[in-house]
Amino acid sequence: MLNKDTGYLFRPADLIWIEGAREAVNAINDAGHLAFVVTNQSGIARGLYQESDVRRLHAWMAEEFAASGARIDRFEYCPHHPDGVVERYRRTCPRRKPGPGMITDLAAQYDVDLSRSFLVGDKDSDLEAAHRAGIAGYLFEGGNLCAFVKSLLSRHPA
């Protein structure tokens, strides 16, 4: 949760950063944690945009972070939705939050210690996904994301 939820985001021009987002990722990097983004992208299943649009957005975001000295180690997204209009993506998927699949897949691929991991989200489904994956979840309700993340890093040493 690095940007404001403007609904079905897939164009870089429509992204509105949350205050302190880049600095928060930098703080995570400096603390020795891996930084992952896990995002539901039901707009794909709904036929509003393509997976290539999401990959392009994530590549642009990675460049923006790199320009400020921060790094996202991996972007993960789930394009599925049980009510999707695009048949290929119409299904219930364990990777779709509140399912834990994206988190557990990343943990396995990167040999992540879940006891030292945490997720910051802006929805109850984010926190449920974290809980179901066995990691701490924290609800960010506004303000400066970097200050919020720094307050969590002391509880979760790398």
Side-chain angles (χ1 to χ4, degrees):
M1 185 234 44
L2 301 165
N3 54 279
K4 294 188 180 190
D5 185 354
T6 56
Y8 303 114
L9 174 68
F10 67 96
R11 287 186 292 264
D14 296 336
L15 186 140
I16 301 169
W17 293 108
I18 290 175
E19 179 187 359
R22 293 177 194 139
E23 297 84 358
V25 172
N26 206 326
I28 289 167
N29 298 153
D30 290 348
H33 284 281
L34 296 172
F36 300 125
V37 171
V38 292
T39 176
N40 289 341
Q41 290 293 332
S42 70
I44 297 167
R46 297 173 195 276
L48 302 175
Y49 48 88
Q50 305 293 316
E51 285 193 71
S52 60
D53 295 314
V54 173
R55 287 191 298 270
R56 198 169 16 262
L57 173 67
H58 289 166
W60 177 83
M61 291 174 73
E63 290 172 8
E64 290 289 304
F65 281 111
S68 65
R71 177 191 76 254
I72 298 291
D73 293 288
R74 180 89 173 257
F75 290 86
E76 284 290 312
Y77 65 92
C78 180
H80 304 107
H81 193 280
D83 299 326
V85 298
V86 179
E87 185 175 343
R88 169 177 163 194
Y89 299 111
R90 185 184 323 123
R91 68 180 177 105
T92 301
C93 180
R95 289 175 48 84
R96 178 175 170 73
K97 295 180 290 180
M102 287 188 281
I103 299 167
T104 56
D105 287 352
L106 285 165
Q109 290 171 17
Y110 286 83
D111 195 26
V112 171
D113 181 351
L114 294 177
S115 70
R116 295 182 176 185
S117 301
F118 63 97
L119 179 142
V120 176
D122 61 349
K123 295 181 177 62
D124 289 337
S125 61
D126 297 324
L127 303 187
E128 185 177 341
H131 174 75
R132 290 168 75 182
I135 66 173
Y138 299 96
L139 186 64
F140 178 73
E141 297 180 292
N144 186 294
L145 184 59
C146 184
F148 185 78
V149 165
K150 282 184 174 181
S151 75
L152 301 175
L153 285 170
S154 62
R155 298 184 217 173
H156 299 277

